[in-house]
Amino acid sequence: MDTQNFFSVDADSSMTIGLGDLEDDDLFFSSFASLENIAAAGAADSIIVTSTTERSNSTNSPEFQTLRNGASGSSAMAYPSAGIPGGVSTKKKRSSIACKACHDKRIRCDAAARGLPCANCRFRNVDCVFIDSKRSRGRRGRVEEPNENAAPNQARLNPSATMPSTQLANNSVPQESSALSEGDPLAFQWTGLGQVQVPENSLLQNIVRDGGRIVFVGEPSLFSWLDSDRTDCKHGHRTIDESPPEERDAVTARIPTRGGERQVSAELEQELLKSFCHNFYPLYPIVNKNDLVETWKLGTISPLLKQSVLFIGALHCQEKVITNAGGFSSKHDAMEMFYGNARRLCDNDSELDRVRIVQSMFMLQFRFGPAAGHRDCFWWASTATNLAQMVGMHRRAKNAALKPEERRLWKKIWWVLYIRDRQLAAGIGKPMMIDDRDCDVEELMLDDFVDGEPPETSNFTISMARFAKIITEVVRCKFSPSESSSHVKAEVRVHLELQGWLARLDSSMQYDNVSNRNRFGLLLSMVYHWIMLLLHRPSLDSAKRPPERRDFSTQLAFHAANAISDLAGDILRYFRVNELPIYGEMIILSAMVFSSVTDPSSHPEEKRLACQRNENYILALLKFDRVFFAISKYKLLFGEETGFWAKLTESRKSVESETDFSGSE
């Protein structure tokens, strides 16, 4: 086909492409590769891409005839054909200048095409400046002395500053050609070096402005259920308004740069290590404790792993310990510093051991504060899982060249990732990242826990891993996008599996607030009632019915929510919240959301019990949030439209006015 009839390129003119006319895939991609090179070099000041329909209506205009015949001899010289019709070259041109950081690292820099800072410096959060060279290369390739009167780097960043006015006029798009982009929702205009101008009536405008602020909250979330009567769609794509740019910049500014860390005393480090080993590690045996303590003493521990452990230690530590021993004004300041140190070490690729990176990323997911960019708690969790799969932790490692302790560690890491993946799927409605069909890792055994774990950790982790498999079935049978004809039968079968799991728990894991009061049994009882609530959760209309009109399944759901409230009361009386994991807050919040749809009973005893349960919810959430700071994240994800947060604030004020509650752990 005659390519000159549909595609023309000239370094000193505009370019027009009919997206529907490119039949040759090789030519299509080669042409767009050339467009990228032209834009990067600054040779094309304006590119217009139009839809096929509108382009066909404009082919007879004088402007289009000028653009079509623009492949003159100058363009043929500047872009040799290389066997491609129309004089399009596929050779990638080098950038005219690189910033100092990219130049020192000998890596590709896009500052000349996109402006400062370049993508590499923006990702690594470092200063981005051009090299002040005493010599510059002109447009014809000659070495010229820079203009002393011009601002540094101005000529290179703005080609029009050194371009004659006649040549600048030739590079500009005629005013008439702007009509090509009017009224076409798929049209956009390239107005310089890497800047896209989107028409006001363009469909692409919404994608550019809002596409990066969309999150998905799935059906398992109680907030999606609470909002189900106001929407017909099952999915939960939500546009969130995280924080204004100045707040995001402030978050980024708080991340320490190289050489800006505060010195931490050895006393505080020991306290935070102790907090990690006592509060977090028994619930998530993600490291080899014996190896961790030994390398810590010798000073040979991985810097990334150490900062991650210090962050988790600060997260679960009592605030008075941090303020007294570390000189920090608050626990939150210490957490942010250790998190920033760990994140910077990740950005700089300072750690080469992928197992250490997986361990660190798993721990960094427990920061629920505001995120500078897309790397929030869920990003860390998913990236840790992806890297573990890349390493191969999801497959049997009996034939791998690993020491026995390393093989045990891999196995425990994988099952901890699996458990956390299912917790996020059930609590937030995130898709399950781990598919059981891709994995053949052996189940955890008691013999795997001989590397410094407390005695209770083995039974607890094994029980949680088995329970995570049941969560998989609950999410599949209740909230899968594909409809299932055997929904009721699957629900009955999963209910029996839950009861069987509870009956088979080791006696040390059977919770009783009198005879067997321990945090491991408490957490297993909480997740049991949480998933029972999820399994039998009715429609919103059914939940609003009075108790005498509820069916048996709905009654089971309310019974599970009431049991969670009773466990929240036990937490207030017998436990320290900093000894519990963050998903305890998510379970209590889910039960409170479910219970909030019922109207107050007129019966005095039932009304008293309802008030007591609501008080348990509020006080427990207040204590959890003073440790994990997670309420703001849930509020961001689920928004204000349900009105639940207003009820929570109102209930919080009334409970705090009646209760002497300091909230300190």
Side-chain angles (χ1 to χ4, degrees), residues 330 339 610:
S330 68
Y339 172 82

Side-chain angles (χ1 to χ4, degrees), residues 45-184:
D45 237 22
S46 182
I47 302 173
I48 297 177
V49 181
T50 68
S51 62
T52 305
T53 305
E54 186 161 344
R55 185 205 153 276
S56 62
N57 296 331
S58 307
T59 53
N60 295 325
S61 64
E63 293 81 18
F64 180 79
Q65 294 296 334
T66 302
L67 294 177
R68 171 189 292 178
N69 299 322
S72 60
S74 61
S75 66
M77 293 176 63
Y79 305 99
S81 63
I84 303 296
V88 179
S89 172
T90 61
K91 182 178 179 181
K92 193 160 185 176
K93 299 184 67 175
R94 294 181 59 188
S95 175
S96 58
I97 187 173
C99 71
K100 187 177 186 304
C102 294
H103 177 269
D104 293 341
K105 289 180 174 292
R106 297 296 189 268
I107 58 177
R108 189 181 300 277
C109 181
D110 62 355
R114 300 183 181 275
L116 296 175
C118 69
N120 297 323
C121 294
R122 186 166 57 250
F123 177 76
R124 298 179 182 276
N125 194 28
V126 298
D127 294 335
C128 185
V129 294
F130 282 118
I131 302 172
D132 290 329
S133 175
K134 295 183 179 180
R135 303 185 344 150
S136 61
R137 192 168 294 278
R139 293 178 56 82
R140 298 175 179 270
R142 299 189 183 96
V143 175
E144 302 171 349
E145 295 297 327
N147 185 356
E148 297 294 337
N149 298 325
N153 303 321
Q154 180 181 359
R156 300 184 186 184
L157 283 176
N158 187 6
S160 62
T162 57
M163 192 182 301
S165 58
T166 55
Q167 189 174 358
L168 179 62
N170 292 334
N171 278 345
S172 302
V173 179
Q175 292 295 325
E176 294 81 4
S177 67
S178 62
L180 291 173
S181 62
E182 294 179 359
D184 189 349

Side-chain angles (χ1 to χ4, degrees), residues 202-213:
S202 172
L203 177 65
L204 193 65
Q205 186 181 39
N206 295 328
I207 300 175
V208 171
R209 291 182 179 176
D210 297 329
R213 297 187 288 115

Side-chain angles (χ1 to χ4, degrees), residues 501-563:
W501 173 85
L502 184 64
R504 288 189 295 270
L505 281 178
D506 187 80
S507 59
S508 63
M509 298 291 109
Q510 297 277 359
Y511 177 74
D512 187 280
N513 63 359
V514 177
S515 60
N516 190 25
R517 189 190 305 154
N518 64 80
R519 59 171 168 165
F520 302 98
L522 171 78
L523 291 171
L524 291 175
S525 184
M526 289 184 71
V527 297
Y528 169 79
H529 292 293
W530 172 42
I531 299 303
M532 191 67 78
L533 168 60
L534 199 63
L535 178 65
H536 293 287
R537 192 183 74 189
S539 65
L540 190 58
D541 291 336
S542 298
K544 291 180 178 180
R545 294 173 182 171
E548 61 274 8
R549 294 182 54 195
R550 296 171 185 164
D551 58 25
F552 181 67
S553 181
T554 303
Q555 292 178 16
L556 289 175
F558 276 98
H559 174 75
N562 294 339

